[in-house]
């Protein structure tokens, strides 16, 4: 029976603890023998990530107990943190432990087995870090990328491909780590050996480029001593981004390049499936995979315009046949073994699950007929509705028109409740969500944080503003030197369009975002009058200092693309920075920050708040011990969500039941 209550006052079964418990997703899928393995979040276990295996009988097992945390800190965002093989004595896995960033080997089937360290510690700067490991048992080594700090500054760092002995001889001896080649580039991915073992391929780039701006595809010969000789660039450049490279079983070289304006697949330089859609994405983490070659010559791909779908590409015909199933979005992680493909997919009605696809039914005939690429099934992290799905939002995919007639892509989540409705004469409040990156994209998948608001009568609009990925290089490049302009204008355009069409209440619009989205939120509050309040989460607030020593090495020159070279346009940095315009902010806000954040450090928030001293702007600042860039602990996420809802309640005139009141300073 329907009941009428004002927006924001609807009782919901989706509380903050429930949303926190379902935060995160499986990552880094792979095969260990015939078994599928992956990493999985544990918010209620201190936010660690564990390694999970699916045994032959279908059982899911956490391979490592607390406090083991399988996560790399290379470039701070990390990347693929594990690898494994199956031998006569059972599985052998090598993984990175987050706490000390050492490489460990572990044989779970061995009696009394404990992880044993393979790499040493370093007291210098951020120490020694490892990512994208590959096991080479014939050589008795693990090949991976080493990030080595040479001083105390975040930019005192070098990265190089190395071989770490499996016998543990390097556990206390940096000298036993063998460097595979000279560290010619600032950034590298892990080398991949060709099927005959004679060549290796990897990606590299240098400041000030980010990997989605331009990378080099490098091929080298493998010498008898195992070093990589005569490296040569075979593709890529300052304005061509190679996002991934792999060897096919026949020895041909596969890679994803955006030389046409879209990340498409190439084999030995020839296009396989030229389309105006993406077959790759931004390389925020080392070891992301959007395609995986199969033994039968086919290629598993994640592709699409906007959302990424899972399909099987026939390189001879150029046809792609998508996997049948309810999943509408796939993450940048794939693994192949024989004819089997393992991926991670989700939909607006389900969270991310581990999915297996059998490519055997796919043949040349079925490719041309459009026959699905074989049965797909969930094999891990299966979605289980924690509440009645009637509480889930019902999103809409929308395209809006921004300044100059440019397109703006967005996902609109209207308020939704199975029982409650608002009075017919009331328009709903809306919160505009600005995603992080900013070179990234908001995925259209079930997110209980969004449902936390929509089920209470608060609409959410996720904006894939200009600069977002998934829509081609031209759309991505629209943010070049326009950060703090295009993103802010696009979010405002969507908010005002929703109000103009009668979808949202013009007087009850809010904005929120984390990281780069926190920047967009802060700039929006200091330069526009669109929003009544905002939630700023681990943000960039002070451009000049963030880009000159306060952030990590990976993004330390990012602003040269997003804003412009500081030496040439210093006034632009001051003009854009929320710190320099703190006196303009009039809307209440909530500021959330992790005290261990090496990417957007808390000093940025402290400096911003100092500029507000003496002004009576209602606000709250909550800093979380033990949290970095991206909250991972359940108790943190609970407090953050409840504080955010309380801000909206106080400012927008809402009355959500059972929410602790956030104390706002004035």
């Amino acid at each position: 029976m329907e009941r009428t209550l004002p927006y924001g006052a609807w009782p919901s079964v989706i509380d903050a603890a429930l949303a926190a418990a379902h935060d995160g997703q499986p990552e880094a899928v792979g095969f260990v023998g015939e078994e599928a393995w992956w990493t999985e979040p544990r918010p209620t276990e201190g936010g660690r990530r564990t390694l999970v295996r699916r045994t032959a009988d279908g059982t899911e097992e956490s391979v490592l107990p607390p406090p083991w945390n399988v996560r790399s800190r290379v470039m701070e965002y990390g990347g693929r943190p594990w690898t494994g093989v199956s031998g006569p004595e059972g599985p052998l896995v090598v993984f990175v432990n987050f706490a000390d960033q050492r490489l460990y080997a572990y044989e779970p089937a061995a009696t009394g087995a404990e992880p044993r360290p393979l790499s040493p510690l370093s007291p210098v700067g951020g120490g020694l870090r490892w990512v994208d490991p590959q096991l080479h048992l014939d050589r008795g080594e693990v090949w991976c990328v080493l990030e080595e700090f040479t001083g105390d500054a975040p930019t005192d760092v070098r990265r190089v491909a190395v071989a770490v002995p499996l016998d543990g001889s390097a556990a206390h001896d940096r000298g036993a780590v063998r460097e595979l080649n000279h560290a010619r580039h600032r950034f590298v991915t892990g080398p991949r050996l060709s099927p005959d073992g004679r060549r290796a391929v990897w990606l590299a780039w240098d400041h000030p480029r980010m990997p989605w701006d331009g990378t080099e595809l490098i091929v080298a010969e493998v010498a008898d001593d195992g070093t990589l000789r005569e490296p040569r660039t075979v593709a890529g450049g300052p304005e061509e981004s190679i996002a991934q490279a792999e060897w096919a079983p026949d020895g041909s070289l596969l890679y994803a390049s955006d030389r046409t304006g879209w990340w498409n697949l190439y084999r030995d330089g020839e296009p396989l499936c030229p389309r105006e859609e993406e077959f790759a994405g931004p390389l925020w983490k080392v070891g992301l995979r959007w395609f995986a070659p199969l033994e039968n010559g086919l290629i598993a791909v994640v592709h699409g315009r906007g959302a990424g779908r899972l399909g099987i590409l026939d390189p001879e015909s150029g046809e792609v046949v998508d996997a049948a199933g309810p999943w509408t979005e796939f993450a940048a992680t794939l693994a192949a073994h024989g004819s089997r493909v393992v991926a991670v997919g989700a939909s607006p009605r389900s969270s991310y699950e581990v999915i297996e696809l059998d490519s055997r039914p796919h043949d040349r005939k079925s490719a041309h007929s459009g026959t699905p690429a074989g049965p797909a099934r969930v094999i891990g992290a299966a979605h289980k509705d924690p509440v009645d799905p009637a509480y889930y939002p019902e999103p809409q995919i929308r395209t809006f028109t921004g300044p100059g007639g440019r397109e703006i892509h967005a996902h609109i989540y209207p308020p939704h409740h199975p029982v409650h409705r608002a009075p017919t004469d009331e328009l709903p409040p809306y919160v505009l969500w600005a995603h992080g990156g900013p070179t990234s994209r908001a995925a259209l998948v079930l997110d209980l944080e969004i449902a936390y608001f929509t089920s209470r009568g608060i609409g959410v609009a996720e904006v894939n503003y200009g600069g977002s990925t998934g829509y081609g290089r031209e759309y991505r490049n629209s943010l070049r030197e326009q950060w703090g302009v295009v993103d802010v204008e696009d979010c405002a355009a969507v908010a005002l369009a929703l109000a103009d069409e009668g979808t949202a209440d013009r007087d009850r619009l809010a904005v929120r975002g984390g990281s780069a989205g926190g920047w967009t939120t802060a700039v929006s509050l200091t330069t526009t009058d669109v929003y009544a309040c905002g939630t700023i989460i681990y943000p960039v607030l002070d451009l000049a200092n963030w880009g000159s020593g306060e952030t990590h090495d990976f993004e330390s020159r990012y602003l040269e693309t997003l804003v412009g070279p500081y030496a040439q346009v210093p006034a632009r940095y001051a003009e854009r920075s929320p710190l320099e315009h703190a006196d303009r902010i009039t809307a209440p806000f909530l500021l959330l920050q992790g005290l261990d954040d090496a990417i957007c450090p808390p000093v940025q928030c402290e400096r911003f708040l100092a500029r507000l001293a003496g002004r009576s702007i209602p606000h709250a600042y909550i800093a979380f011990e033990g949290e970095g860039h991206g909250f991972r602990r359940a108790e943190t996420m609970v407090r953050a969500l409840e504080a955010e809802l309380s801000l909206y309640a106080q400012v927008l005139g809402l009355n959500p039941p059972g929410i602790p009141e956030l104390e706002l300073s004035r």
Side-chain angles (χ1 to χ4, degrees):
M1 181 178 177
E2 289 191 2
R3 295 186 57 195
T4 300
L5 281 175
Y7 288 114
W10 302 347
S12 175
V13 296
I14 301 174
D15 60 17
L18 186 71
H22 290 80
D23 188 76
Q25 66 187 68
E27 293 178 341
V29 297
F31 282 97
V32 178
E34 298 294 321
E35 295 180 354
W37 291 44
W38 60 89
T39 63
E40 202 171 281
R42 294 288 186 266
T44 59
E45 297 177 11
R48 77 182 186 103
R49 294 195 72 89
T50 189
L51 190 57
V52 177
R53 65 188 289 194
R54 187 180 193 272
T55 60
D57 63 2
T59 302
E60 290 178 46
E61 295 180 358
S62 178
V63 178
L64 293 160
W68 295 104
N69 187 353
V70 184
R71 184 174 150 223
S72 169
R73 282 190 63 186
V74 166
M75 303 188 328
E76 291 302 340
Y77 292 110
R80 187 170 182 84
W82 77 277
T83 188
V85 297
S86 181
E89 306 302 320
L92 164 64
V93 293
V94 172
F95 68 94
V96 180
N97 183 49
F98 181 75
D100 57 13
Q101 286 299 289
R102 298 175 85 180
L103 275 176
Y104 286 82
Y106 182 44
E107 298 175 83
T111 303
E114 289 288 338
R116 56 183 177 86
L118 298 181
S119 64
L121 292 168
S122 170
V124 179
L128 301 174
R129 303 175 180 181
W130 319 81
V131 74
D132 204 14
Q134 303 286 316
L135 269 167
H136 296 291
L137 294 181
D138 56 332
R139 301 174 181 271
E141 296 176 328
V142 183
W143 287 20
C144 57
V145 174
L146 163 63
E147 181 177 76
E148 180 173 23
F149 283 78
T150 58
D152 292 329
T155 52
D156 292 338
V157 63
R158 63 191 291 268
R159 298 174 188 86
V160 64
V162 298
V164 180
L166 266 174
D167 62 9
S169 58
H172 303 286
D173 180 8
R174 167 65 180 85
V177 176
R178 184 169 66 87
E179 297 196 5
L180 297 174
N181 65 331
H182 298 296
R184 297 191 305 138
H185 295 277
R186 190 76 173 185
F187 303 96
V188 294
T189 62
R192 299 289 190 267
L193 273 180
S194 60
D196 61 9
R198 297 172 59 184
R199 294 176 295 165
V201 65
W202 67 94
L203 307 180
W205 67 97
D206 293 289
H207 283 320
R209 284 177 282 155
M210 298 300 283
W212 41 86
D213 297 323
T215 55
E216 295 179 34
L217 179 64
I218 300 176
V219 174
E221 305 301 317
V222 181
D224 292 340
D225 63 358
T227 57
L228 306 180
R229 303 284 181 84
E230 302 175 17
R232 61 193 186 280
T233 298
V234 299
E239 292 293 328
E240 179 184 357
S241 170
I242 312 290
Q244 183 190 341
E246 307 285 347
W247 298 101
D250 64 1
S252 59
L253 181 57
L254 305 171
Y255 59 90
S257 165
D258 73 346
R259 64 183 58 158
T260 65
W262 299 85
W263 273 302
N264 279 190
L265 284 185
Y266 294 80
R267 179 173 60 188
D268 292 334
E270 297 299 320
L272 292 180
C273 182
R275 295 184 181 185
E276 289 191 349
E277 61 178 81
E278 309 282 33
F279 285 76
L283 193 66
W284 278 101
K285 299 179 180 181
V286 177
L288 295 180
R289 283 187 108 192
W290 292 269
F291 69 88
L294 297 163
E295 291 180 358
N296 57 12
L298 303 174
I299 306 170
V301 294
V302 173
H303 71 106
R305 194 164 182 157
R309 306 182 302 278
L310 176 63
I312 299 294
L313 166 65
D314 180 348
E316 302 306 321
S317 68
E319 297 290 333
V320 180
V321 178
D322 289 336
W327 312 283
T328 55
E329 183 85 46
F330 283 84
T333 181
L334 284 177
H337 176 68
S339 63
R340 298 162 62 198
V341 178
V342 171
V344 174
S347 78
R349 308 294 290 178
S350 61
S351 53
Y352 283 99
E353 306 172 290
V354 181
I355 295 154
E356 182 175 304
L357 171 67
D358 184 356
S359 69
R360 283 176 299 183
H362 183 100
D363 55 26
R364 307 295 188 226
K365 181 178 178 181
S366 64
H368 290 289
S369 67
T371 302
R377 62 192 180 110
V378 176
I379 63 166
H383 173 78
K384 298 177 182 177
D385 290 314
V387 297
D388 185 342
Y391 284 88
Y392 295 164
E394 297 179 350
Q396 306 162 1
I397 300 174
R398 298 278 305 273
T399 301
F400 295 86
T401 301
R406 66 174 180 257
E407 286 189 346
I408 308 169
H409 303 283
H411 306 146
I412 308 303
Y413 296 82
H416 179 77
H417 195 284
V419 174
H420 289 87
R421 299 289 183 272
T424 56
D425 61 349
E426 184 185 3
L427 291 175
Y430 260 80
V431 183
L432 276 290
W433 283 31
H435 65 69
T439 309
S440 185
R441 179 175 60 84
L444 187 67
V445 300
L446 178 63
D447 184 340
L448 291 187
E449 283 197 11
I450 291 178
Y452 177 77
F453 294 104
T454 57
S455 62
R456 286 171 168 77
I458 302 170
V460 170
E462 287 185 312
V463 184
N464 283 320
Y465 47 79
S468 300
T469 49
Y471 308 99
R473 185 169 185 122
E474 183 179 355
Y475 194 80
R476 190 166 83 241
N477 284 351
S478 65
L479 205 59
R480 282 193 170 185
E481 299 196 3
Q482 295 298 309
W483 196 37
V485 179
V486 167
D487 50 326
V488 172
E489 289 178 346
D490 286 1
C491 288
V494 172
L496 294 175
L498 292 174
D500 289 345
E501 70 186 25
T503 297
D505 186 338
R506 173 65 184 87
D507 296 324
R508 295 195 293 177
L509 297 172
V511 61
R512 70 99 83 167
S515 190
W519 152 271
T520 301
T521 299
V523 176
S524 297
L525 293 179
T526 56
T527 62
T528 79
D529 62 357
V530 173
Y531 309 101
C533 61
T535 301
I536 307 168
I537 309 170
Y538 36 84
V540 177
L541 296 170
D542 176 1
L543 286 181
N545 283 303
W546 189 82
S548 61
E550 285 187 355
T551 192
H552 61 143
D553 184 61
F554 176 53
E555 293 179 275
S556 62
R557 304 280 296 275
Y558 195 6
L559 296 184
E560 293 190 28
T561 302
L562 293 175
V563 182
Y566 181 75
Q568 298 176 22
V569 290
R572 189 182 295 166
Y573 279 63
E575 176 189 342
R576 301 260 182 95
S577 291
L579 178 75
E580 302 299 330
H581 304 297
D583 59 320
R584 297 180 184 175
I585 193 166
T586 59
F589 66 90
L590 169 64
L591 186 55
L592 301 170
Q593 177 67 45
L595 290 177
D596 293 344
D597 194 336
I599 296 170
C600 294
V603 67
Q604 294 248 319
C605 294
E606 294 159 8
R607 203 176 289 138
F608 181 73
L609 292 171
R611 293 286 181 96
L612 285 175
R615 299 190 63 225
S616 56
I617 304 300
H619 69 277
Y621 176 48
I622 306 176
F624 297 99
E625 294 275 0
E627 290 284 10
H629 197 70
F631 301 150
R632 289 177 169 82
R633 298 178 176 179
E635 59 270 24
T636 299
M637 291 183 276
V638 167
R639 189 177 180 200
L641 266 180
E642 291 182 341
E644 183 177 356
L645 179 56
S646 180
L647 171 73
Y648 303 150
Q650 293 180 56
V651 177
L652 306 181
L654 312 179
N655 187 29
I659 302 300
E661 183 172 342
L662 173 69
E663 183 177 348
L664 296 174
S665 301
R666 296 180 185 272

